[in-house]
Amino acid sequence: MTRRAPALVASLAALLAALTVLGGAGPAAAHEERPAQFPDGTGHRPSFLGFDNPRQRVVCQRDSAERVAAMPDGPVKARNQRLLASCRYRSIQTAIDSVSRPHTSVYVLPGTYHEAKYAKAGRSDYCSHLQTASKSPLPFSEYIGSLSSPDPGAEEAAAAEGESNPIALSYADQRRCAHNLNLIAVFGDRTPGNDSIRCDSRFCGLQLVGTGMTPADVVVDNRFAKLNAIRADRAGGLYLSNMTFQQAEFNAIYVLETDGFVIDRVVARGNDEYGILAFASDHGLIQRSEAYYNGDSGIYPGSGSDLNADNTEFEATRYAIEIRRNDSHDNTLGYSGTAGNSIWAHDNDFHDNATGIATDSLFPGHPGLPQDHARWNRNRIYSNNANWYTAFVDSGVCDKPMEQRGYMQGTVCPVVPTPVGTGVLIAGGNYDSTDHNWIYDNWRYGTMQFWVPAPLRDDYDPTHLYDTSNHNHTFQNRMGIDPTGTERPNGTDHWWDDQGVGNCWEDNHYGSAGQTDNFTVPPPSCADGGSVFLPGAPVKDAGFLSCSQYDRSDPTWKHPPACEWFDSPAQPTTMAAPGDAASGAVLVAPLATTAAALGLLLGLRRRRSRA
């Protein structure tokens, strides 16, 4: 046993004790997902098949002809006029269900689609009495989502009618009861009884494409009828393009266990949680899309295929999902990803959220923990100071029925706690690269990084206790300077809790006042190995413990006492002197290290027990 083993064991004991104390800190409705697994990686990213695919279905609305006639003359109008003659469907789902061969294109002409047949469809006796597929031994171990069920009374109401309304259905039950939870559904695995999750059906390679001038011409409006506006499950080869999806109880677009997909030029807006969620998927591309007014994150690549799990080099061997040229704004988070492994996000704009980018190893039940090998480069991460907590949670707007909250008018109801005014947050990630970005005008922190103890993901192996917040590099970013060269300072450029090995911050460019950070001891350069392990290094903000208890539905915990995360940080007018700790960072005793980090992560895990 090494010298530090006694301290490690003592810290683990403290963690377990705190888990016992805090585990009953408050109620949280469970909204779970079935246990997910990664694809085998044999798929590939699909290509657009064009607007003249002979395998096609055409969908239109009664006013589509009028909308097409109003288009300016040109190739888009001509294309739509040609497709109008082939329109045989009024429902997107009906057109999908009619597909007989793989690699079929469903062309959706301009109009607003409510899919009323499926939004209001009655359930069969079988689909009214389903059981959850979650077999977790702990109450919050298998989930994807955040706070609590969007309709916490649904299960009770169903039980009163002698029915059930679980969320975490098996794949077989999801496929058999496709519209229990989903407005539009694509299930690609026709053999759920075998061991393979590969797409093997007529829906493989499906392309769902809006034919308008912009995504705004084709709107799928869920009107909070279902949990997801569209779900693509084991749907390898999916290509989704040029459409708007809105007003879902959970996700606008949900891609699960899918090997090979493209989401291109879509708008995802006004949803209670995620705009675009990809989970346990590979060979994915999300590009040229816009996400806004979402209560969790605009774009969520959670549990990306863990291609680099055994890679101890900083450079990734391959990325599972690429995210490029998107605009994610006015959400709680622009981008987030629990176990967001092997993700490459570049040339995006993340702005006017509460937090711009976040990745974490906080929540159990996500395959691929702890998180590793994400890269964010050449992004613009700025002005993430939107305080939705005071605007809509404290004011009571988020207590109203979902359809009355005004999501399409700009309401955002945060389902997770996050520090308002933060550009990039790494909560327990490893081998992550934050490089060549513009990070400015984030009034609390430009970047923030802290350790996540292994027990927070139900891993009680004492050798794993400090296995997060290691080997992250932050370099060659423009901090506090916008692309015009104007100084727009962050509150503090870099915040770090001093935990972890191999972390480094170097070759970044700062405004006239230089770098601001709260480092106790500046770490060595990347070439020299970065930070060294400091057992018992203090966590620097004891407010984590309180903030972690956030619950927007609880009168007490919707704005936890002593929590400063949800207070609007003051706009910095001048940079602090180099090396100063800004934004009120507070050193606390080493004993608080475990409790504070644990409180943050346990509370987040507990609150986020839903999918």
Side-chain angles (χ1 to χ4, degrees):
M1 182 174 288
T2 64
R3 287 184 180 180
R4 75 180 188 195
L8 184 149
V9 172
S11 296
L12 181 58
L15 282 167
L16 297 177
L19 276 168
T20 302
V21 172
L22 292 176
H31 184 170
E32 298 171 317
E33 181 55 277
R34 72 174 190 258
Q37 57 183 302
F38 296 125
D40 61 15
T42 59
H44 65 276
R45 184 185 297 179
S47 299
F48 180 47
L49 297 176
F51 286 99
D52 54 359
N53 183 2
R55 300 182 182 183
Q56 66 174 250
R57 302 290 188 272
V58 181
V59 188
C60 61
Q61 291 292 80
R62 289 183 174 84
D63 63 346
S64 293
E66 181 181 349
R67 290 172 182 256
V68 171
M71 289 180 172
D73 292 337
V76 176
K77 182 174 183 176
R79 179 174 67 230
N80 277 271
Q81 289 174 327
R82 172 177 58 82
L83 289 170
L84 267 171
S86 302
C87 179
R88 300 291 182 270
Y89 300 92
R90 291 279 188 257
S91 160
I92 297 170
Q93 184 69 66
T94 301
I96 292 172
D97 290 345
S98 76
V99 165
S100 58
R101 292 188 293 174
H103 306 292
T104 295
S105 297
V106 176
Y107 301 124
V108 186
L109 272 67
T112 298
Y113 296 80
H114 298 299
E115 298 291 305
K117 174 182 176 182
Y118 301 96
K120 301 177 180 178
R123 298 181 181 181
S124 67
D125 182 70
Y126 181 87
C127 294
S128 297
H129 298 88
L130 298 175
Q131 300 297 314
T132 180
S134 176
K135 306 299 183 184
S136 168
L138 295 176
F140 16 72
S141 285
E142 290 162 359
Y143 59 89
I144 293 173
S146 305
L147 182 66
S148 58
S149 173
D151 183 3
E155 188 64 32
E156 291 82 356
E161 298 295 324
E163 300 177 353
S164 66
N165 193 43
I167 301 301
L169 303 178
S170 67
Y171 175 82
D173 279 348
Q174 282 278 9
R175 182 170 177 264
R176 182 169 177 176
C177 305
H179 301 291
N180 271 27
L181 307 174
N182 313 296
L183 187 68
I184 298 171
V186 182
F187 292 96
D189 179 4
R190 64 182 174 84
T191 54
N194 63 18
D195 293 333
S196 172
I197 66 170
R198 295 184 62 185
C199 190
D200 60 1
S201 73
R202 56 197 168 106
F203 300 117
C204 302
L206 180 76
Q207 304 215 340
L208 183 61
V209 182
T211 65
M213 301 284 292
T214 72
D217 290 333
V218 178
V219 177
V220 175
D221 191 351
N222 184 53
R223 297 188 292 189
F224 304 109
K226 300 294 182 181
L227 203 67
N228 308 298
I230 181 169
R231 180 187 188 113
D233 205 330
R234 303 185 181 178
L238 175 77
Y239 197 102
L240 179 64
S241 179
N242 201 30
M243 300 172 67
T244 293
F245 295 86
Q246 64 190 37
Q247 298 197 101
E249 290 185 348
F250 187 28
N251 310 300
I253 300 164
Y254 186 7
V255 178
L256 178 63
E257 291 186 341
T258 291
D259 197 353
F261 70 91
V262 171
I263 297 173
D264 179 34
R265 295 180 65 222
V266 304
V267 173
R269 64 188 182 190
N271 304 286
D272 192 53
E273 291 216 3
Y274 300 103
I276 301 170
L277 186 153
F279 196 83
S281 294
D282 196 359
H283 292 103
L285 173 65
I286 301 170
Q287 68 173 0
R288 300 188 297 179
S289 296
E290 184 179 15
Y292 58 95
Y293 303 160
N294 297 292
D296 197 299
S297 52
I299 301 173
Y300 179 91
S303 282
S305 194
D306 202 6
L307 308 172
N308 295 279
D310 300 320
N311 179 12
T312 58
E313 299 297 323
F314 177 70
E315 297 293 333
T317 56
R318 178 170 75 81
Y319 292 108
I321 297 175
E322 182 180 2
I323 299 170
R324 68 188 184 196
R325 299 169 61 189
N326 301 286
D327 186 7
S328 186
H329 60 91
D330 293 282
N331 310 285
T332 300
L333 302 107
Y335 160 120
S336 69
T338 298
N341 307 309
S342 310
I343 308 298
W344 180 27
H346 62 95
D347 298 288
N348 303 284
D349 287 289
F350 300 109
H351 63 99
D352 293 289
N353 308 285
T355 293
I357 291 175
T359 196
D360 67 81
S361 300
L362 303 182
F363 311 114
H366 289 66
L369 288 172
Q371 185 273 336
D372 68 276
H373 288 92
R375 185 186 185 191
W376 310 287
N377 75 309
R378 301 198 306 271
N379 302 291
R380 291 153 298 278
I381 307 162
Y382 63 94
S383 303
N384 292 290
N385 307 305
N387 196 332
W388 313 119
Y389 300 94
T390 56
F392 300 119
V393 178
D394 292 349
S395 66
V397 172
C398 297
D399 293 329
K400 297 179 180 179
M402 196 171 291
E403 64 275 7
Q404 297 177 21
R405 295 175 188 169
Y407 284 170
M408 295 303 295
Q409 288 71 52
T411 294
V412 176
C413 288
V415 293
V416 289
T418 193
V420 172
T422 302
V424 179
L425 169 61
I426 299 177
N430 298 317
Y431 297 100
D432 292 328
S433 182
T434 306
D435 65 276
H436 298 87
N437 301 287
W438 298 89
I439 305 175
Y440 60 90
D441 193 40
N442 303 290
W443 296 354
R444 192 179 302 269
Y445 309 124
T447 71
M448 184 182 192
Q449 178 178 317
F450 55 80
W451 161 67
V452 173
L456 271 298
R457 60 178 189 272
D458 292 345
D459 182 347
Y460 300 98
D461 184 338
T463 65
H464 294 173
L465 184 60
Y466 295 108
D467 67 352
T468 65
S469 196
N470 300 306
H471 305 290
N472 299 302
H473 296 186
T474 301
F475 62 97
Q476 293 193 25
N477 300 285
R478 296 279 180 173
M479 305 297 302
I481 308 169
D482 73 17
T484 71
T486 302
E487 291 196 20
R488 300 177 65 183
N490 302 299
T492 298
D493 288 319
H494 306 297
W495 190 102
W496 177 43
D497 66 356
D498 298 326
Q499 291 278 1
V501 301
N503 300 299
C504 54
W505 292 257
E506 67 181 24
D507 297 330
N508 299 294
H509 304 278
Y510 302 92
S512 57
Q515 175 176 338
T516 60
D517 62 63
N518 72 334
F519 301 165
T520 302
V521 178
S525 69
C526 300
D528 291 334
S531 60
V532 296
F533 183 74
L534 297 174
V539 170
K540 297 174 179 177
D541 189 342
F544 288 168
L545 182 59
S546 179
C547 296
S548 69
Q549 306 306 303
Y550 169 77
D551 184 339
R552 76 180 185 194
S553 301
D554 187 283
T556 299
W557 296 105
K558 64 173 53 178
H559 200 134
C563 175
E564 297 181 356
W565 277 14
F566 311 147
D567 298 336
S568 296
Q571 180 177 3
T573 54
T574 58
M575 298 284 276
D580 282 359
S583 298
V586 179
L587 290 176
V588 296
L591 181 59
T593 303
T594 300
L598 174 67
L600 168 69
L601 306 176
L602 173 65
L604 286 172
R605 179 185 75 176
R606 178 171 53 78
R607 299 300 175 194
R608 208 168 171 182
S609 299
R610 65 179 299 254

